[in-house]
Amino acid sequence: MPAKSKAKSKNEEPNEEEVTIMTEEMLSEASIEDLPGVGPATAEKLREAGFEELLAIAVMSPSDLADQAELGEAVANKIINAAKKMANIGGFVSGSDLLERRREVMKLSSKVSTIDELLGGGFETQALVEVYGEFGSGKTQIGHQLAVNCTMPLEDGGFDGDVFYIDTEDTFRPERITQMARGHGLDPEKVLERIHVARAYNTAHQMLLAEEIKRLSRGLNVKMIIVDSLTSHFRAEFIGRGMLANRQQKLNRHLKDLKQLADINNALVLVTNQVHSKPDAMWGDPTKPVGGHVLAHASTFRLYLRKAKAGRRIARLVDSPNLPDGECVYQVTEEGLRD
Ligand code: GTP
Ligand code: MG
């Protein structure tokens, strides 16, 4: 859709008549200035806050958009509604449209044939994958390995993409990336350049970092977002029954932001999670992942990791929408994950 020649003032109200529903192709070419009521000033605010695409705006709530882009809430509301219409969000879509979108799904190879088989070919984009298990079960190793693999060329099972890594436990190790990159014959420096790491100091910081990815990803081909660990700060900060509702609400919000990144970028989101260390009233069953129903619902795939004899590891697929539950065995070696 060509940009309107008429200059718009930022106070101009969106006019319903002007809103056209766009095809995928039009959508990819449309700019936020095509939104009725968005003049240069508003467009700049939106861009500064990381909203470059209609879809990114369409999925926001008015108060969040108002906050993040420093707009009035009424203005934000109108912009969102227009973006929803243009991007045809909020309406039902046909099964064939969904199938079309599913066709865009890419699968990241772990380069371990048993794991890829368990996952029906690899780790899917547009999905949130939760990896949980005890300390030392290898969750962080999976995060490191997939970060490396994400930078590999498409023909080698990678995404030729950039990775955002939110590290809450200070366990990201560039040295480990170097080993794993070498293990696949990659140039470690090139791999490290494409992995963008931030240490999160508390839940508020962790949530902010996830929001920031939208803005920081400009000019990058973001294909994977890792949060290791998703839940440790939440567990540490929200203690006691009285905090449970508040915690779950925050966690839910964080997961929505992450899922949005997966959808908008056709990217994979990988989060790690612990199991309950002991039975307790707030956290429940000691063999279950923490995070409760909120996380259970948000995860598209859940992988349960545990150690086995002779340095072997077992990954169990739990709760997948389209794959049978099952297990596979692999190893963690100096070069990375191997069959
Ligand atoms: P927490 O974060 O503490 O909950 O644990 P985690 O599940 O993230 O465990 P992590 O991924 O850090 O796994 C650590 C384990 O990976 C170690 O105990 C080793 O068994 C294995 N590991 C890590 N680095 C190497 C390595 O260079 N060589 C080999 N052979 N194994 C390694
Ligand atoms: Mg870890």
Side-chain angles (χ1 to χ4, degrees), residues 54-73:
L54 295 183
L55 196 58
I57 294 170
V59 294
M60 292 299 288
S61 78
S63 58
D64 288 345
L65 185 67
D67 259 7
Q68 292 180 30
E70 292 170 9
L71 303 168
E73 201 164 318

Side-chain angles (χ1 to χ4, degrees), residues 139-141 169 171 228 272:
K139 304 179 290 291
T140 299
Q141 298 304 308
E169 302 189 308
T171 52
D228 181 20
T272 69

Side-chain angles (χ1 to χ4, degrees), residues 24 134 162 182 203 323:
E24 290 267 318
E134 282 187 358
D162 287 85
R182 291 216 175 98
T203 53
L323 294 167

Side-chain angles (χ1 to χ4, degrees), residues 101-224:
R101 214 174 113 61
R102 290 281 309 161
R103 280 205 189 100
E104 290 171 15
V105 167
M106 299 160 71
K107 291 181 180 179
L108 179 64
S109 173
S110 63
K111 293 288 192 179
V112 178
S113 60
T114 55
I115 298 180
D116 287 356
E117 261 165 48
L118 184 69
L119 291 171
F123 291 77
E124 285 188 3
T125 57
Q126 298 175 26
L128 192 140
V129 180
E130 175 195 348
V131 176
Y132 69 96
E134 282 187 358
F135 63 91
S137 57
K139 304 179 290 291
T140 299
Q141 298 304 308
I142 291 214
H144 280 61
Q145 184 71 64
L146 292 181
V148 169
N149 296 7
C150 181
T151 69
M152 294 172 94
L154 296 172
E155 59 270 27
D156 293 334
F159 287 165
D160 189 16
D162 287 85
V163 180
F164 278 87
Y165 198 115
I166 301 179
D167 180 14
T168 73
E169 302 189 308
D170 205 12
T171 52
F172 178 85
R173 292 291 174 275
E175 298 85 350
R176 193 69 186 116
I177 297 291
T178 299
Q179 288 176 332
M180 289 175 166
R182 291 216 175 98
H184 284 315
L186 304 168
D187 177 348
E189 285 195 16
K190 285 198 180 131
V191 172
L192 283 165
E193 254 170 39
R194 301 191 78 173
I195 304 177
H196 312 274
V197 188
R199 170 108 165 82
Y201 292 94
N202 53 44
T203 53
H205 189 202
Q206 181 178 334
M207 292 170 74
L208 187 70
L209 286 169
E211 285 169 26
E212 282 287 280
I213 290 175
K214 227 181 296 169
R215 194 173 58 79
L216 298 173
S217 57
R218 236 174 281 178
L220 300 174
N221 181 30
V222 183
K223 280 294 173 204
M224 185 169 181

